[in-house]
Amino acid sequence: MTAAGIPTARARVATTPADAEEALREFGAPYVVKDDALAAGKGVVVTADLSVALAHAAACRRVVIEEFLDGPEVSLFAVADGLTAVPLLAAQDFKRAQDGDRGPNTGGMGAYVPLPWAPAGLTAEVMATVVQPALDELARRGAPYRGLLYVGLALTSKGVRVVEFNARFGDPETQVVLDRLATPLAGLLHASAVGDLDTSRHLAWRPGAAVTVVIAASGYPEEPAKGDVITIKDLPSNALPDGTDGYLLHAGTALSGGDLVTSGGRVLNAVGSGADLAAARAAAYAVAECVEFRGGWYRRDIAERASAPG
Ligand SMILES: Nc1ncnc2c1ncn2[C@@H]1O[C@H](COP(=O)(O)OP(=O)(O)O)[C@@H](O)[C@H]1O
Ligand SMILES: [Mg+2]
């Protein structure tokens, strides 16, 4: 990112406790300590407590210590063909397990599009200052990037900053982004794969909003229960508000002797869409209520704040 001039958090690498302490004191609280290794989503510790930050650094071989980025997070996906890219819709997900963004970090408990509160021009800005410079730098190094570039952003008081890149679609943002995509996905992915994206042709989006609510197994994220029988009740005829649509996507499910059973922490996604976020949200929760299994649970506040009037 530094080579490409992409805005991100100031950072230092530390391999010893003394280095880590010096970097933590330089940036100050809140402290951000990232394991420089794959860590199944548990590599990043953000804490106001210096001793917790130091303990995490000591438990890792090598860490990246970063300046804390304030402000809301946004995910923007771009489909790249090696030279250039087209953006999908900016989305927001909910990483914490419990309502009000409390509890442990998860893979994501829900998501929504669009973001009524995001600044106009955000997508164009991120394409110009993050995505295209990243693609240019990778191509310059002889490693052109084709595929889905996931940009995790913080909209800080000092401007847009990259939190991370992932080289894949992100879950659960993908569920709501693809719900709104009217352009066939296959043609887009093919153009990405063969290096033939037409960036002058804009993607077509269905108007309105989409919300997804993740239905999780008991014990998720620490130790999700598996093998519980899932019952899906019929949707009552009046359950979906007028003009909305709703459906379930399977994630951590399996068939066992003819029964549908849980087989992962995040079991099903209830997706709702409608003219606005309030309608989409009502549809998603109406669908979620049809699912029953032992210990199943979901957050009740997905897209609540963004859909509130005013
Ligand atoms: N510099 C930072 N400042 C504030 N929060 C951060 C920072 N870096 C990461 N985080 C928080 O930690 C979460 C996980 O970090 P991320 O880099 O996305 O790692 P992972 O690979 O685990 O997803 C982010 O979504 C964000 O909430
Ligand atoms: Mg992340």
Side-chain angles (χ1 to χ4, degrees), residues 73 95 150 152 163-164 166 168:
E73 289 178 48
K95 281 276 174 254
Y150 168 128
V163 175
E164 67 166 341
N166 288 308
R168 54 161 171 76

Side-chain angles (χ1 to χ4, degrees), residues 201-299:
R201 255 189 44 215
H202 286 283
L203 300 178
W205 297 98
R206 298 158 65 201
V211 172
T212 187
V213 176
V214 170
I215 305 168
S218 74
Y220 180 75
E222 288 87 7
E223 260 185 80
K226 288 183 185 167
D228 288 308
V229 174
I230 303 167
T231 315
I232 300 176
K233 294 182 297 183
D234 284 339
L235 198 64
S237 56
N238 58 355
L240 285 185
D242 275 352
T244 68
D245 189 15
Y247 54 91
L248 284 169
L249 292 172
H250 290 242
T253 64
L255 281 173
S256 167
D259 283 331
L260 184 67
V261 298
T262 62
S263 69
R266 290 183 296 161
V267 179
L268 291 148
N269 303 275
V271 184
S273 63
D276 56 25
L277 281 170
R281 186 169 186 270
Y285 278 105
V287 170
E289 274 165 31
C290 297
V291 175
E292 274 175 11
F293 58 89
R294 194 168 56 95
W297 59 276
Y298 49 86
R299 273 182 66 158

Side-chain angles (χ1 to χ4, degrees), residues 9 32 34 41 43-44 46 66-69 73 95 163-164:
V32 180
K34 299 188 167 185
V44 178
V46 181
E66 288 188 355
E67 153 196 32
F68 177 80
L69 301 173
E73 289 178 48
K95 281 276 174 254
V163 175
E164 67 166 341

Side-chain angles (χ1 to χ4, degrees), residues 85-225:
V86 294
L88 304 185
L89 291 182
Q92 188 168 52
D93 77 339
F94 293 76
K95 281 276 174 254
R96 299 299 194 98
Q98 288 156 26
D99 285 14
D101 293 328
R102 283 186 287 268
N105 258 318
T106 71
M109 298 303 300
Y112 66 95
V113 286
L115 311 179
W117 49 268
L122 175 68
T123 296
E125 180 187 344
V126 175
M127 292 305 288
T129 63
V130 176
V131 174
Q132 195 58 52
L135 296 177
D136 291 346
E137 178 65 15
L138 289 166
R140 194 183 68 73
R141 295 180 181 206
Y145 183 77
R146 285 179 185 167
L148 198 291
L149 185 63
Y150 168 128
V151 187
L153 298 157
L155 308 190
T156 77
S157 48
K158 295 182 199 149
V160 170
R161 298 284 184 277
V162 174
V163 175
E164 67 166 341
F165 290 115
N166 288 308
R168 54 161 171 76
F169 278 98
D171 179 21
E173 298 96 314
T174 302
Q175 286 85 318
V176 288
V177 170
L178 294 189
D179 180 87
R180 298 287 86 197
L181 181 64
T183 302
L185 180 63
L188 185 62
L189 297 182
H190 183 261
S192 156
V194 300
D196 186 28
L197 271 183
D198 180 357
T199 48
S200 65
R201 255 189 44 215
H202 286 283
L203 300 178
W205 297 98
R206 298 158 65 201
V211 172
T212 187
V213 176
V214 170
I215 305 168
S218 74
Y220 180 75
E222 288 87 7
E223 260 185 80

